[in-house]
């Protein structure tokens, strides 16, 4: 069982920045971030696998996912935040095949989530 714990959420004004971190109890090949807005399904945000990064179109150029293997942590740097980025952000870990990288059911392990609120 892999334990994931997110931190770094909060309230920020539009255009601001936040950095989310996820501490993992052990390393997994793929680490990802998903988010779930009010009344919405959980959606893919970003993933890091074998040194490659993947992003959903709406965050490209604004968010950066990175990994510190020595500390077993994965971070999500979020810049130029928009009100539509408001959601609970979840860290996920697993071994999905590449075609399922953006599918939440492909991940075995999840954190408890951290709230990000962007005010206009």
């Amino acid at each position: 069982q892999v334990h994931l714990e997110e931190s770094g959420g909060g309230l920020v004004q539009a255009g601001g920045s936040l950095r989310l971190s996820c501490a993992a109890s052990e390393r997994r090949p793929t680490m990802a971030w998903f988010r779930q807005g009010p009344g919405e399904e959980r959606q893919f945000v970003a993933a890091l696998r074998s040194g490659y990064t993947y992003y959903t179109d709406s965050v490209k150029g604004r968010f950066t996912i990175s990994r510190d293997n020595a500390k077993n942590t994965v971070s999500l740097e979020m810049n130029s935040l928009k009100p539509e980025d408001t959601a609970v952000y979840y860290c996920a870990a697993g071994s999905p095949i590449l075609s399922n990288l953006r599918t939440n059911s492909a991940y075995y392990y999840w954190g408890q989530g951290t709230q990000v609120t962007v005010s206009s």
Side-chain angles (χ1 to χ4, degrees):
Q1 185 76 12
V2 177
H3 179 71
L4 304 175
E5 186 166 352
E6 304 99 336
S7 60
L11 173 65
V12 65
Q13 288 188 336
S17 299
L18 280 175
R19 183 180 179 90
L20 306 182
S21 292
C22 174
S25 59
E26 57 184 86
R27 188 174 173 178
R28 278 294 182 265
T30 301
M31 299 294 293
W33 289 94
F34 285 74
R35 66 187 179 187
Q36 187 168 14
E40 298 178 353
E41 294 184 353
R42 195 170 297 187
Q43 298 176 337
F44 173 79
V45 177
L48 198 157
R49 177 179 184 267
S50 300
Y52 291 91
T53 56
Y54 305 84
Y55 299 95
T56 191
D57 287 346
S58 63
V59 308
K60 284 180 181 178
R62 299 189 299 123
F63 290 13
T64 303
I65 188 171
S66 61
R67 187 170 191 165
D68 185 333
N69 289 324
K71 297 180 180 179
N72 273 348
T73 60
V74 62
S75 297
L76 186 69
E77 183 75 30
M78 306 186 294
N79 298 315
S80 301
L81 282 162
K82 305 175 181 180
E84 50 264 44
D85 294 318
T86 294
V88 177
Y89 283 71
Y90 296 90
C91 177
S95 307
I97 58 175
L98 190 57
S99 59
N100 285 344
L101 202 68
R102 293 170 169 79
T103 305
N104 56 27
S105 61
Y107 290 83
Y108 301 129
Y109 307 107
W110 293 86
Q112 80 286 353
T114 185
Q115 176 71 46
V116 171
T117 303
V118 184
S119 62
S120 57

